[in-house]
Amino acid sequence: MKEKILKELYTHQGKYVSGEELSEKFQVSRTAIWKHMNNLKKQGYTIETTHKKGYRLVETTEKLIKEALKEHLETEEIGQEILCFDSIDSTNNYCKKIAKDAVHGTVVISEEQTVGRGRLGRNWSSPKGEGIWMSIVLKPSIPPTEGMKMTQIAAASVCKAIREITDVEAYIKWPNDIVVGGKKVCGILTEMAGELHKIDYLIVGMGINVNNQEFPEEFQGIATSLTIQKGKKIDRKTLILCILKTFEELYQHYICQGTLEKTLEIIRLYSAVLGKTIRIIKGEEEIKGKVLEINDEGLLKVQLEDGRQEMLISGEISI
Ligand code: BT5
């Protein structure tokens, strides 16, 4: 019911809808409508109420609304189903729960995550309303060994979209970070379920610091946000729409052509590591190497200090 009322308010595009009209349409009492409105307000929606005219949804940049996203979506498969939450443990966790029955391309977004996750069980700070905490369910017919290419497609789309929408000079720190001025503005977490030769589904989670003004002490010095870089607020909706559109273009190119060519063009152009000397962290051990290339499979070719060359498939590096 809450969803239906919200949709009705949204389709009136900022104009008033009377309680009577709503109660007739949905066959519930006006008191029930009033209670639903109060609940929506508690969830953060700005709904103006006047005695004579009824209710009006004020669209603000403060809150992501499914209908508003869907109205401007320019994709065929990614985001045909969108679920927006006020608070959730983790959008990746939620995707896992629904993945079996979810349609390919389902997008889950939450205003906050209470247990946002990074790789290897690390924590991902996801404060309310400040970032884009979003996951996509994918069901491609590709072998599991190719699954990690989705991280590259996601990284390329987020980086390109940030540049297009905000003009912030974002770079890709292989394999799963987007950085600005050496600090992390986005992290990507790709998870996979399936058998040895077949993927059941993939979940690509993106955490983007958009309007954060500050960070917990532990992340100061390593994290930044688009607002901090740009000096003004960024509209999350516009950025999400651009990310989904770019993701779909790169994804479809990869699925149809079987190559990462388009993605790699972006990854190489905006690489934060190509040609640089990096530290490769392998458990307790740390070795230095110079990045020679990102090959056609998206692997990192590194020249180690002892003269050997190594191909990194994924993992932990620092610049
Ligand atoms: C990542 O892991 O960078 C992947 C982050 C993925 C988050 C998204 S949000 C939507 C979806 N749902 C989830 O639950 N997760 C995904 P990793 O490379 O392991 O980096 C984690 C490290 O980044 C932490 O150990 C912190 O040091 C740092 N960190 C945590 N929160 C941060 C933030 N908001 N901004 C920048 N750095 C952060």
Side-chain angles (χ1 to χ4, degrees):
M1 178 56 69
K2 189 190 81 190
E3 284 268 300
K4 284 186 189 163
I5 293 177
L6 197 57
K7 190 163 186 194
E8 192 65 18
L9 289 178
Y10 184 75
T11 47
H12 277 74
Q13 301 199 320
K15 298 203 182 74
Y16 280 96
V17 195
S18 73
E20 195 178 347
E21 209 179 314
L22 291 168
S23 85
E24 265 173 29
K25 180 153 191 168
F26 299 122
Q27 292 295 298
V28 292
S29 69
R30 285 171 68 171
T31 317
I33 296 286
W34 177 77
K35 280 186 184 157
H36 282 301
M37 291 298 174
N38 283 346
N39 281 334
L40 285 169
K41 283 184 201 168
K42 273 188 206 144
Q43 281 179 29
Y45 291 99
T46 309
I47 296 169
E48 282 179 5
T49 314
T50 70
H51 200 58
K52 284 192 185 133
K53 294 183 192 161
Y55 305 96
R56 182 172 92 90
L57 177 68
V58 182
E59 206 190 320
T60 63
T61 53
E62 308 302 322
K63 180 128 185 138
L64 294 166
I65 301 174
K66 168 184 169 175
E67 286 74 17
L69 285 164
K70 286 214 80 170
E71 190 183 331
H72 301 284
L73 197 65
E74 290 178 64
T75 55
E76 289 163 5
E77 51 180 320
I78 305 297
Q80 291 317 298
E81 181 70 68
I82 298 181
L83 298 162
C84 290
F85 292 91
D86 211 38
S87 179
I88 208 168
D89 55 350
S90 143
T91 53
N92 267 40
N93 288 357
Y94 188 82
C95 282
K96 261 188 214 167
K97 276 186 222 148
I98 60 161
K100 200 167 151 275
D101 300 317
V103 292
H104 163 76
T106 296
V107 171
V108 175
I109 303 171
S110 186
E111 291 291 337
E112 98 178 320
Q113 297 185 116
T114 51
V115 198
R117 292 189 289 113
R119 295 177 302 165
L120 305 168
R122 285 187 285 240
N123 152 45
W124 183 260
S125 159
S126 325
K128 194 162 205 155
E130 295 187 2
I132 295 172
W133 325 124
M134 168 167 88
S135 303
I136 309 175
V137 180
L138 300 168
K139 298 187 168 178
S141 297
I142 55 170
T145 45
E146 300 276 290
M148 282 306 147
K149 290 186 175 164
M150 297 303 134
T151 304
Q152 312 258 295
I153 293 175
S157 19
V158 173
C159 186
K160 187 161 180 260
I162 288 177
R163 284 176 167 261
E164 250 171 64
I165 301 297
T166 70
D167 258 347
V168 167
E169 288 190 7
Y171 290 92
I172 300 163
K173 182 174 157 256
W174 186 95
N176 73 314
D177 290 352
I178 309 295
V179 293
V180 181
K183 293 181 182 175
K184 187 155 164 170
V185 78
C186 164
I188 293 157
L189 174 67
T190 302
E191 297 180 289
M192 194 163 39
E195 296 153 26
L196 209 55
H197 301 292
K198 186 180 142 280
I199 289 176
D200 287 337
Y201 59 82
L202 277 153
I203 296 163
V204 182
M206 307 166 188
I208 309 164
N209 302 323
V210 183
N211 288 319
N212 318 49
Q213 296 286 0
E214 53 188 16
F215 288 91
E217 213 170 302
E218 54 192 304
F219 305 141
Q220 274 170 26
I222 61 163
T224 189
S225 76
L226 297 175
T227 281
I228 293 173
Q229 295 300 322
K230 190 73 186 161
K232 65 170 194 175
K233 272 203 139 193
I234 308 291
D235 180 35
R236 289 181 301 161
K237 183 177 88 178
T238 315
L239 187 55
I240 290 175
L241 292 168
C242 188
I243 292 169
L244 296 181
K245 183 167 178 257
T246 316
F247 185 92
E248 179 168 290
E249 272 167 27
L250 299 178
Y251 175 84
Q252 287 183 344
H253 178 86
Y254 163 68
I255 294 294
C256 298
Q257 309 293 324
T259 85
L260 266 186
E261 199 185 326
K262 262 192 168 190
T263 297
L264 289 171
E265 260 172 41
I266 300 166
I267 300 246
R268 288 170 182 146
L269 184 62
Y270 301 129
S271 173
V273 299
L274 257 184
K276 300 254 169 68
T277 298
I278 57 165
R279 284 178 290 136
I280 307 156
I281 300 135
K282 291 184 170 177
E284 299 291 290
E285 210 195 333
E286 217 183 271
I287 46 174
K288 267 191 184 173
K290 187 176 175 193
V291 179
L292 299 178
E293 66 163 320
I294 298 170
N295 79 2
D296 291 347
E297 297 299 307
L299 308 184
L300 208 63
K301 188 173 180 186
V302 185
Q303 174 88 55
L304 302 177
E305 276 183 326
D306 64 8
R308 280 183 302 128
Q309 289 189 355
E310 194 170 312
M311 282 291 190
L312 302 183
I313 298 166
S314 70
E316 212 65 55
I317 62 166
S318 66
I319 308 168

